[in-house]
Amino acid sequence: GMGWALLGVGLLLALYTLLRHGLRSAPRPRARPELRGRTAIVTGGSSGIGAATALELARCGARVILATRSAPRGEAAASRIRRETGNNEVLFMHLDLASLRSVRAFASTFLRQEPQLHLLINNAGVSAGGTTEDGFSLPFQVNHLGHFLLTQLLLERLRSCAPSRVVIVASSAHCAGRLRPERLGRPPSGLFSTFQDYCDSKLANVLHARELATREQGTQVTCYAVHPGFVNTSLFRHAPLWLQALLVPLAWLLFLEAAEGAQPVLDCATRDGLEPLSGRYFTHSGPQVPWPAGRDDRLAQALWEGSERLLGLGTPGG
């Protein structure tokens, strides 16, 4: 009895190990350019892909601002990155994307304290449902609207420090996204509303990058949307326990490590000669054509105008 059970467990573990290593090719560490004298902001920089991205940027000599919600986690991540890289220009600044007031406070503090900005990495994301203090759906606000506002508030600084880049962490989940301009920011209805909401926000990311690139032509501010791969991060920490029980083993099997997920994000942030590809959607294998809704320019423009309207930005008729 016991022997067979142990043998079974052993075989399962062996199979699991084989699968895990067979299905995932180890990332080749890429040579990255020298970034001394450049300043980067990474939202959600205290864990997962954000932390892995921040670590690598710091290693290249950049000044890195971890813009994240939890002060204890943000401070801990900043000091860990300083220690690991020997780069002392890594600091935490508080940013809660679920609060537009917090986004505005972060931007004004940053603009007052930091003279330069070359890289804005809009990485933070949630997959939980719910509503923010501003009355918008949580994934839509954290994943898109808060980042949209942040980008608009920092755009002048990005222009004055150009060439500069905005990297938006999107997802292949945009394939299931549906955006209705007249219902922007309201949670969708139905059984899978939280999942739908997440996919919608990821479609918004792809379209935001596309429209920003169009509007910034000639300014030397370029923009890229990136699907980092299905990465084993804390994105699913709000899923119900029975779903976590299913997702966690699968995640370990198939999802990439955060360091691997950070590679295409870093590529978009640092690779030479990407400027002609501004507005495009990238994956591990380079620029890809997004799903049809992700290349709908009329929808991209409607999303932009709708986002401005929700935020009270933009001038009437301009």
Side-chain angles (χ1 to χ4, degrees), residues 170-194:
S171 164
S172 61
H174 78 271
C175 68
R178 296 194 302 259
L179 288 172
R180 296 192 196 79
E182 71 286 352
R183 287 194 46 84
L184 273 190
R186 277 184 266 165
S189 52
L191 189 56
F192 296 107
S193 66
T194 301

Side-chain angles (χ1 to χ4, degrees), residues 115-191:
Q116 296 193 302
L117 180 59
H118 305 92
L119 285 175
L120 172 59
I121 307 209
N122 289 334
N123 157 81
V126 294
S127 60
T131 308
T132 66
E133 64 180 47
D134 303 290
F136 301 114
S137 100
L138 182 69
F140 183 80
Q141 181 167 330
V142 170
N143 302 351
H144 167 68
L145 197 62
H147 278 128
F148 181 90
L149 176 60
L150 179 67
T151 306
Q152 291 306 96
L153 296 173
L154 299 175
L155 204 46
E156 262 322 305
R157 183 61 50 87
L158 284 162
R159 284 179 189 149
S160 69
C161 296
S164 54
R165 295 182 183 184
V166 178
V167 180
I168 300 174
V169 178
S171 164
S172 61
H174 78 271
C175 68
R178 296 194 302 259
L179 288 172
R180 296 192 196 79
E182 71 286 352
R183 287 194 46 84
L184 273 190
R186 277 184 266 165
S189 52
L191 189 56

Side-chain angles (χ1 to χ4, degrees), residues 90-263:
V90 180
L91 52 150
F92 157 77
M93 281 177 66
H94 180 261
L95 169 67
D96 181 2
L97 288 150
S99 158
L100 297 175
R101 200 183 58 225
S102 171
V103 175
R104 291 194 167 93
F106 169 87
S108 77
T109 304
F110 176 87
L111 292 170
R112 200 170 57 245
Q113 292 177 4
E114 297 290 328
Q116 296 193 302
L117 180 59
H118 305 92
L119 285 175
L120 172 59
I121 307 209
N122 289 334
N123 157 81
V126 294
S127 60
T131 308
T132 66
E133 64 180 47
D134 303 290
F136 301 114
S137 100
L138 182 69
F140 183 80
Q141 181 167 330
V142 170
N143 302 351
H144 167 68
L145 197 62
H147 278 128
F148 181 90
L149 176 60
L150 179 67
T151 306
Q152 291 306 96
L153 296 173
L154 299 175
L155 204 46
E156 262 322 305
R157 183 61 50 87
L158 284 162
R159 284 179 189 149
S160 69
C161 296
S164 54
R165 295 182 183 184
V166 178
V167 180
I168 300 174
V169 178
S171 164
S172 61
H174 78 271
C175 68
R178 296 194 302 259
L179 288 172
R180 296 192 196 79
E182 71 286 352
R183 287 194 46 84
L184 273 190
R186 277 184 266 165
S189 52
L191 189 56
F192 296 107
S193 66
T194 301
F195 177 69
Q196 184 64 53
D197 215 352
Y198 177 74
C199 297
D200 295 353
S201 73
K202 293 289 127 182
L203 173 58
N205 290 155
V206 173
L207 293 172
H208 178 201
R210 199 173 173 91
E211 183 68 12
L212 181 59
T214 302
R215 287 167 183 256
E216 291 303 300
Q217 274 167 350
T219 64
Q220 286 194 294
V221 177
T222 54
C223 184
Y224 313 90
V226 193
H227 167 61
F230 291 101
V231 175
N232 187 18
T233 71
S234 53
L235 187 67
F236 298 103
R237 63 178 173 265
H238 301 292
L241 282 173
W242 64 268
L243 186 55
Q244 285 187 22
L246 292 174
L247 284 173
V248 168
L250 264 177
W252 276 101
L253 202 56
L254 297 171
F255 289 19
L256 305 156
E257 292 305 312
E260 297 170 55
Q263 296 305 321

